Amino acid sequence: MKVFLNKRIPEIGITIMKENGLEVFIPENDKLSTEEWLQYCQDFDLILNVGFHQFDKNFFELCPNIKAIALFSVGFDHVDTKEATARKIPIGNTPDVLSVATAETAFLLMQSVARRSSFYFERVKNGEWEDFDPLFALGQELNGKTLGVFGLGRIGFEMAEKCKNAFGMKIIYHNRNLNEEAQRKLEAEYVSFDELVQQSDVLSIHANFKAEQSELFNAKIFDKMKPNSIFINTARGGFQNEKDLYEALINNKIWGAGLDVTNPEPMIKENPLLQLSNVCVLPHIGSATEEARNGMAKLAAENLVAFSKGKKMPACANEEVYI
């Protein structure tokens, strides 16, 4: 079987595929337009996709030869899984292997915002290290605060555990289902969505994004949050309305925000959020560690190898395809 890989990934993934008899093609120019990407996809059996190309009904109709898709990501909101399942096409993803890296990014953002570190770093670079001022641009301490987790799965658990161990933070969460492990190990408390919003000193998003949750965190929600609260998002930028977030910050509805994902991506340099001292924005680097990216490459490759051998993918986003 022939695999189309639109961007080069860590060598471990490519080696696994080749050693298992898969023919891997990587274009010399990896900055493909949607039209170029689609044209390539039409000529292959399998796809290992890096990035957020849309796998919608139009894609499946234009690429009828595709038999399986492996995503170089945990999230699969850019895939019409119902359409894929109807066509018996399994969609592989890469859960677990990037949980630690992404949680560490959320933890980093929380601390960076709380102590305005990116703001102060810019001042040092600009030669603005001035005389001591006891009242200038103060941060806040995190010790003993309440962490609210929206979506307490693998990544959310890692974040909660770090916050509890480092800062003795109380953990509350809102999920579709109870997380008994978190309740047992972290003394996490399940709360309603409104209670999560109202009680959190730090509110960190770790849920899988769905279309019906588009801009869930908007003016109405920010108005309910504590004025000292910090909003953290390392999941998907679609969760937040950034105009409303900016207004909430400048009007002291909330205290700060740390984003590894934006709406849209990439964030333009003129975005007013970037001018605020209590905001830290990163360019979607949640999984940007050697350990995580190697793990993603390995699992994505293993998903395609398993399919090629008539086996179930070890990580499949639409497991109903096997029913």
Side-chain angles (χ1 to χ4, degrees):
M1 289 185 176
K2 297 192 300 180
V3 180
F4 173 52
L5 173 55
N6 63 306
K7 286 180 182 286
R8 184 163 288 277
I9 60 174
E11 200 62 33
I12 184 173
I14 298 170
T15 299
I16 287 171
M17 288 188 285
K18 289 182 176 179
E19 287 180 346
N20 283 276
L22 295 177
E23 183 181 336
V24 181
F25 174 80
I26 308 169
E28 290 185 15
N29 172 25
D30 64 6
K31 293 178 172 59
L32 302 174
S33 68
T34 299
E35 292 73 22
E36 291 170 327
W37 173 76
L38 278 169
Q39 190 170 7
Y40 274 118
C41 289
Q42 292 170 9
D43 296 328
F44 289 83
D45 306 297
L46 310 175
I47 294 176
L48 200 165
N49 190 73
V50 182
F52 298 98
H53 291 292
Q54 294 298 307
F55 293 94
D56 52 16
K57 185 175 182 178
N58 180 61
F59 167 84
F60 292 113
E61 288 179 349
L62 290 172
C63 304
N65 295 325
I66 294 300
K67 300 173 179 65
I69 297 169
L71 305 175
F72 194 75
S73 66
V74 177
F76 50 90
D77 49 290
H78 53 303
V79 180
D80 186 337
T81 53
K82 289 184 179 179
E83 185 69 26
T85 301
R87 295 171 182 265
K88 302 297 182 182
I89 299 172
I91 306 296
N93 66 336
T94 61
D96 296 329
V97 293
L98 49 68
S99 297
V100 170
T102 305
E104 287 181 353
T105 301
F107 192 71
L108 167 69
L109 282 168
M110 176 182 70
Q111 294 179 84
S112 295
V113 173
R115 297 304 301 268
R116 304 181 194 259
S117 64
S118 57
F119 165 73
Y120 277 114
F121 181 46
E122 285 300 316
R123 288 180 63 83
V124 172
K125 288 198 297 182
N126 294 333
E128 298 173 345
W129 190 330
E130 299 171 354
D131 290 341
F132 175 70
D133 182 343
L135 299 177
F136 178 71
L138 302 182
Q140 59 169 294
E141 296 179 13
L142 296 165
N143 197 56
K145 297 288 179 67
T146 295
L147 170 72
V149 180
F150 182 68
L152 188 55
R154 302 174 185 91
I155 299 172
F157 185 95
E158 290 282 348
M159 172 63 167
E161 187 173 45
K162 286 173 171 52
C163 290
K164 186 172 183 66
N165 290 342
F167 297 116
M169 296 178 79
K170 176 184 176 181
I171 311 300
I172 61 175
Y173 74 100
H174 182 74
N175 258 18
R176 287 174 296 174
N177 303 303
L178 294 178
N179 188 322
E180 295 181 359
E181 181 185 12
Q183 293 182 177
R184 183 177 68 256
K185 292 184 177 180
L186 306 178
E187 299 178 320
E189 178 186 350
Y190 177 84
V191 296
S192 69
F193 180 68
D194 275 350
E195 289 172 325
L196 183 85
V197 167
Q198 294 166 5
Q199 296 176 22
S200 298
D201 296 306
V202 177
L203 197 160
S204 192
I205 302 177
H206 299 284
N208 289 325
F209 180 74
K210 296 183 178 180
E212 58 266 28
Q213 295 171 314
S214 179
E215 300 190 352
L216 173 64
F217 289 86
N218 53 34
K220 181 179 178 181
I221 298 303
F222 295 132
D223 283 350
K224 294 180 180 180
M225 292 174 67
K226 291 183 176 182
N228 74 300
S229 63
I230 295 172
F231 175 77
I232 303 293
N233 189 2
T234 55
R236 285 288 184 268
F239 275 114
Q240 71 230 4
N241 180 309
E242 290 184 6
K243 181 178 182 298
D244 290 355
L245 176 59
Y246 175 76
E247 293 293 329
L249 287 162
I250 63 172
N251 291 312
N252 301 316
K253 299 290 185 179
I254 66 173
W255 195 86
L259 310 174
D260 187 43
V261 288
T262 62
N263 185 17
E265 288 186 12
M267 176 181 276
I268 62 171
K269 65 180 181 179
E270 293 82 13
N271 191 310
L273 285 169
L274 297 174
Q275 304 304 314
L276 302 181
S277 67
N278 52 348
V279 171
C280 181
V281 179
L282 300 175
H284 206 147
I285 62 163
S287 66
T289 65
E290 291 185 7
E291 296 88 346
R293 294 282 168 85
N294 283 334
M296 292 168 72
K298 182 173 182 290
L299 183 50
E302 289 171 346
N303 279 333
L304 291 184
V305 169
F307 175 82
S308 73
K309 295 182 176 182
K311 298 178 181 179
K312 182 179 178 180
M313 287 183 172
C316 185
N318 61 332
E319 290 195 348
E320 60 272 21
V321 77
Y322 293 110
I323 297 174

